[in-house]
Amino acid sequence: MRLRALLETDTLGLRLLGNEDELDRTVRGVMTTDLRDPSRYLSGGELVLTGLAWRREPEDSERFVRILASAGVAGLAAGEAELGAVPDDLVQACTRHRLPLFSVVEDVSFASITEYVVRQVSSERAGDLAAVVDRHRRLMTSGPAGGGPEVVLDLLGSDLDLRAWVLSPTGRQIAGSTLADSGPELPGVIGARLAGEHLAASRSGRRGPHRVTLAGVTYSLFPIRYDGRDLRETVLSDWLLAVEADAGDWSDERLDLLNGVTQLIAVERDRRDAARTVRRRLAQEVLELVQTGAPPAEIAARLRVAAPVLLPGLGSAPHWQIVVARVEWASGEVPGGPVAQALLEEVLVDPGTFGPEPSDRIAVAHTGDEAVALVPLPATPDESGETTVTGLHADDLLTVVQEPLGRGLADDGRLTIGVSAAVHSAEGLRGALEEARHARRVAAARNGRVCAAGHEELASHVLLLPFVPDDVRRAFTARLLDPLRDYDRRHRAELIPTLEAFLDCDGSWTRCATRLHLHVNTLRYRVGRIEQLTGRDLSRLEDKLDFFLALRMS
């Protein structure tokens, strides 16, 4: 039964003193106590009746209510016989802990309330219990080992006529029913809204399921897993179960069934987390090699091991991109590295993809309060036969994560992300890491709970002129000059000397060709190759200035 039903029964003599928005809590039993610490006798879901004999001073109210809230009781009813009225300090303590508080008039006995609650709870539990147990058995025997989350979602549809989806913290659909008549998939914008509502409700301390109405449709949102850790360690990366129904009208048995479903889906989540162990180790090894200045050949060897694990069957060496993230909490009590690691593993997936497996192509390590993702990028041929690489963009990531994760961060957390350019060799990986880290610092200088910046915001002389840090210098010069150095090393093309001479001659084709003892057409070919490799245009003053600065800082 619901707490709300107690208020609707006039003979019980209950008057609500606070937390009206918590009246949909389920009452699973009743307990009368005047012990200062009744926690050993509480299992959760009780309506606690007390005559306030435990209260000797105002500070006792906070201690007593904190114990009840930690035990997960449904509500507290205080009798007026002892003190004549419920004291304000008890009302305030219940408000702080979001615990519904009732007063019981003097002429109503606790025995009458106890008898009424026990009778109602027993009656509801008797209803079709055999069918609920049977559904539980079917769910347990048809869990993830038999086909993944879709199996249990199909059973919800066929047995209970419920449409349901498993969503990531950004609202990406991880699983949905596979039944032909289950209706259309959940629109992405609705998924993102639901994820945001779930994160906001969780951070506010409200218990699930959380009910949300969007576009005239009511959804009930169930957390997939809560293991007793600080909520800030898990809320930004945990899945949720969204059910198209109003759970406020459900019996305890149906709620228990849905909680059982979330436990089964949590098994799939644990399986996926276990599979990430190898990828995390690979990312950690690469990160340590890059940060300790290991020879490029050693880094390249480790990348050759990582590539087939992340992109099996590719057949050629991928390009690589680095994404750096940092999650910071105002209190500083929760370590940010593991949180950011789990978060990147969830958000660095194309929001248009379906299922948990696309995240298998991402390897994420963490060091200190920072997480570093190693993202392989396959090169694909375009219409002209040239290979192109499509990487992640900071603006696209921000569009996906800003609204829902911003609500999960509430008013005490912050997420900042930096995205590097794509590099095609081990030599460029160190520069990419520094580039991503500085991009994240650029993002951190902005206002907002969720901010991101990409490499394209660094490759400008506007940022490089004043007080340039060493890591920015290296990232800037690597971005512009590493492709030319690599090409010169492989083809002995002398692109770097040509670039230096071209800039020294103020872009004059004739003077530069004369200085280098080249035909003008040969010079034009070399300059064209420089522009092709770097994506710059040497007829533009801005690009000339960037090359000039890069050469001076290298």
Side-chain angles (χ1 to χ4, degrees), residues 276-288 302 305-307 309-310 363-365 374:
R276 283 177 169 170
T277 302
V278 172
R279 297 191 295 279
R280 287 178 171 180
R281 188 185 307 121
L282 285 171
Q284 198 73 43
E285 291 172 354
V286 172
L287 178 61
E288 289 175 359
R302 181 51 52 188
V305 172
V309 174
L310 301 178
V364 187
L374 184 65

Side-chain angles (χ1 to χ4, degrees), residues 125 155 242 348 487 509:
R125 286 178 177 170
L155 283 174
L348 292 183
Y487 194 89
W509 298 99

Side-chain angles (χ1 to χ4, degrees), residues 361-411:
R361 62 187 293 268
I362 298 161
V364 187
H366 76 82
T367 173
D369 287 333
E370 176 187 76
V372 179
L374 184 65
V375 183
L377 303 173
T380 57
D382 59 19
E383 295 179 355
S384 64
E386 295 289 331
T387 58
T388 60
V389 176
T390 303
L392 299 166
H393 294 278
D395 289 343
D396 295 338
L397 284 177
L398 193 60
T399 299
V400 172
V401 306
Q402 190 169 36
E403 197 277 334
L405 294 186
R407 303 195 65 182
L409 290 161
D411 59 355

